[in-house]
Structure formats: C-alpha cells, structure tokens
Amino acid sequence: MKFQFDEQFLLDCFRKIVNTPSPVGYSRLLNPVLEKYAAMFGQTVTYDNRSTAYITLDGEDNSKTVLVGAHADTIGLIVRRV
C-alpha cells in the first residue's frame, strides 16, 4: 500500500508545533495548536488531569490497543554560570 502525503503540510505542521512555546508543565499555548490540527482531520483532543493530550483513532479491530507517544514539551534550563 502506497501512501501519498503533502510534504509541505507536514513540514509546516512540524515547524508550528516545534516553535510553539511549551516548557514542561505549561502546554496551554500548544494545546490549541494540537486541537486545530486534530480538527483538520475530523478528530478531537482529550486531556487527562495532567493536561496530557490524547487523540483516539478507531481501527479495523478495536479489541486491541496501540499507543504511539511523543513529547510535545520543550526542556527548560536555568543557566547559573557560563
């Protein structure tokens, strides 16, 4: 099976997500971006009590569950000395 995809769309989507400020624990700016992209594909985003975003997709056989995970937060550092 061969999939066709819009390479420019994927690059633009990646850049938008990566360039959205989202330090650990503060994803309030990123969540609307994820919701926008999910909506473009007819999906919704749900959140748990720690604001982790989830998009659930139905498959051909829903008796099994597969999780694909990714970190969307950025790492924040405090530089004390150079």
Side-chain angles (χ1 to χ4, degrees):
M1 177 182 284
K2 184 165 174 109
F3 293 97
Q4 292 186 345
F5 59 93
D6 182 342
E7 183 177 344
Q8 190 59 52
F9 171 78
L10 289 176
L11 290 172
D12 292 344
C13 178
F14 178 77
R15 282 187 191 105
K16 177 68 175 170
I17 291 171
V18 169
N19 289 323
T20 301
S22 57
V24 176
Y26 297 95
S27 56
R28 63 182 169 81
L29 295 176
L30 182 59
N31 289 347
V33 175
L34 298 176
E35 291 171 12
K36 174 187 147 196
Y37 284 120
M40 290 173 74
F41 294 99
Q43 304 299 319
T44 57
V45 179
T46 59
Y47 301 93
D48 64 15
N49 62 348
R50 299 189 75 186
S51 296
T52 302
Y54 295 92
I55 301 173
T56 303
L57 305 173
D58 286 329
E60 292 178 12
D61 178 2
N62 288 336
S63 67
K64 298 177 182 169
T65 301
V66 176
L67 171 70
V68 177
H71 280 271
D73 52 3
T74 56
I75 298 173
L77 299 173
I78 297 174
V79 178
R80 297 185 186 263
R81 197 176 328 169
V82 177

